[in-house]
Amino acid sequence: MNAQSHDVNPCHGWKQRFTPVPPSVHRARHAAEAALRAWGVAPGSIPIVLLVLSELATNAVRHGRVPGRYYEVRIAYDAEKLVGVEVSDPREGLPRLGDATPDAESGRGLAIVEAFAEAWGVRERIVGKTVWARVRL
């Protein structure tokens, strides 16, 4: 994990804000999928990008919620081999990899991101933070 950007030189970009409630993760995933398909991302690569997005958005809903504030999802595609995913939330504090036990119901999100992304990190913002991941297709 580091504080750099996802380093995707975007030919295509999409962003949207969501209310931090559990159903918004599905809406974010659905909207991002439509954008990825419209940009011509290989259908076999889309589920990996959506998995990373889902984990980051779920963390924003569960751990980044601040009453009255939204979280934002951004994706960028370089039209060749990289997709960047960013999820920004208004809560202070940095996320960390969890030590989930085999029977735990949570705590695996960032481990999943780390397993499927080429790189990931966190940038602090004036308000809150942005967790980013770079997915190589």
Side-chain angles (χ1 to χ4, degrees):
M1 176 179 80
N2 64 51
Q4 298 174 4
S5 177
H6 54 64
D7 297 327
V8 173
N9 186 12
C11 286
H12 303 285
W14 168 87
K15 72 177 180 177
Q16 189 170 338
R17 289 183 175 173
F18 296 92
T19 304
V21 295
S24 70
V25 175
H26 172 76
R27 288 192 296 274
R29 191 172 51 241
H30 183 72
E33 180 178 12
L36 293 166
R37 287 187 187 284
W39 298 337
V41 173
S45 297
I46 291 173
I48 295 168
V49 174
L50 297 179
L51 175 63
V52 169
L53 183 151
S54 293
E55 295 301 331
L56 296 180
T58 297
N59 282 349
V61 169
R62 285 188 177 167
H63 308 294
R65 178 185 298 191
V66 171
R69 302 294 304 265
Y70 296 98
Y71 72 96
E72 183 176 86
V73 176
R74 292 177 178 240
I75 55 174
Y77 176 46
D78 70 356
E80 291 182 24
K81 61 185 177 199
L82 294 175
V83 174
V85 178
E86 295 185 353
V87 177
S88 302
D89 69 61
R91 177 136 343 240
E92 301 298 324
L94 301 178
R96 60 183 174 79
L97 283 169
D99 291 328
T101 61
D103 59 343
E105 293 183 17
S106 65
R108 293 180 186 83
L110 290 177
I112 291 170
V113 170
E114 187 166 81
F116 286 95
E118 178 178 83
W120 72 278
V122 181
R123 286 192 317 272
E124 291 182 286
R125 299 164 33 121
I126 293 172
V127 175
K129 65 191 165 298
T130 297
V131 183
W132 62 267
R134 183 175 58 234
V135 178
R136 184 169 297 277
L137 307 177

